[in-house]
Amino acid sequence: MREASTDADIASTRCKGVNKTATASQVAVIGLGSMGGGMARALLAAGFRVKGFDVNPTNLEAFAAAGGTVAASAALAVQDTPILVSVVVNAHQTENVLFGAEGCLAAMPEESVVISSATMAPEAARDLARRVEATGRHYLDAPISGGATRAAEGALTILAAGSKRAFTMAGPAIDAMAAKVYELGDAAGTGAAFKMINQLLAGVHIAAACEAISFAARQGLDLARVFEVITGSAGNSWMFENRIPHVLEGDYAPRSAIEIFTKDLGIIADMGRSTQFPTPMAGAALQLFLMTAAAGMGKDDDASVARLFARIAGIDLPGQV
């Protein structure tokens, strides 16, 4: 579904449907981790020829096993490729992908488009867009939401902003990667700003869910029963429903790591400070994620905030030795 915004509200929609149209177009994906790897597989399933690059050899092996073409560098991945999907961690990595010593922007054809999906501050997205467009190429500010499973299913939500030409060129690829695409205007940075609102809520909801399930453990409640009851009650949230099974299974393999939220909530803190807007809930959540990272769990699943509460309170959660 493509949803376009106007000055008033969301004005029109277009349903993509479940069958993605196969195409011979070629796409490069830089960053083949849990999200980028899933997005690359969704593009392959839609019929695209996909070249990929990642600094992690394990990610390259998984991509090759899925049928993708591994490139030896980012620059080689984008040669003769009209669409680049950059799925790295932050603005700094995005800048390196595009403009660094081994950057790939100069190797891209003219009239190509960069789909930038890293979470970053709006000012950073605007600066990158300006620099990319100065080369005659196009930039789509397109942060993502939905998690690794939805990425592999081509069922992400994409919060996109950019010129009409950028949307036209990127359209087939973003439709293959997303169940819902919000068209949020022609100014880069708008998609990034929307994503930060989402991340504020996501971080607070994860922290609250972990606090709640740990508090339930302190009360001696059956945690599986708590999950059943809360997911059927008004206190439920998407994050409670998605993350608490990790706690119940004692499985903290990173689907989304603690360090993601130390970064994103840190950006929100900076945005609030620069605009003199208080973000107390996001600030409290940031401190919980920072404490969890300081306790040695920064690269673990973000549900590890529950383990922090358990350590503080001296309680046992499932899977603890």
Side-chain angles (χ1 to χ4, degrees), residues 115-181:
I115 301 173
S116 177
S117 293
T119 300
M120 65 183 72
E123 307 85 61
R126 286 190 286 269
D127 179 64
L128 287 169
R130 176 186 57 78
R131 293 166 63 189
V132 168
E133 290 164 1
T135 72
R137 298 168 179 89
H138 303 275
Y139 184 96
L140 193 67
D141 171 25
I144 53 180
S145 180
T149 298
R150 290 187 182 181
E153 294 171 348
L156 290 172
T157 295
I158 295 182
L159 315 174
S163 68
K164 289 183 179 179
R165 182 61 178 158
F167 271 109
T168 297
M169 296 180 67
I174 61 175
D175 281 348
M177 296 184 291
K180 184 175 288 187
V181 179

Side-chain angles (χ1 to χ4, degrees), residues 49-118:
R49 291 180 290 119
V50 186
K51 293 192 292 184
F53 176 73
D54 194 286
V55 296
N56 186 330
T58 301
N59 292 341
L60 291 175
E61 291 170 7
F63 174 61
T69 301
V70 170
S73 69
L76 289 174
V78 301
Q79 283 186 345
D80 303 318
T81 302
I83 301 172
L84 163 63
V85 184
S86 176
V87 201
V88 291
V89 172
N90 53 28
H92 177 69
Q93 288 189 5
T94 304
E95 181 174 16
N96 281 340
V97 164
L98 297 174
F99 301 104
E102 298 182 5
C104 63
L105 187 67
M108 294 181 69
E110 292 186 8
E111 276 295 298
S112 53
V113 62
V114 174
I115 301 173
S116 177
S117 293

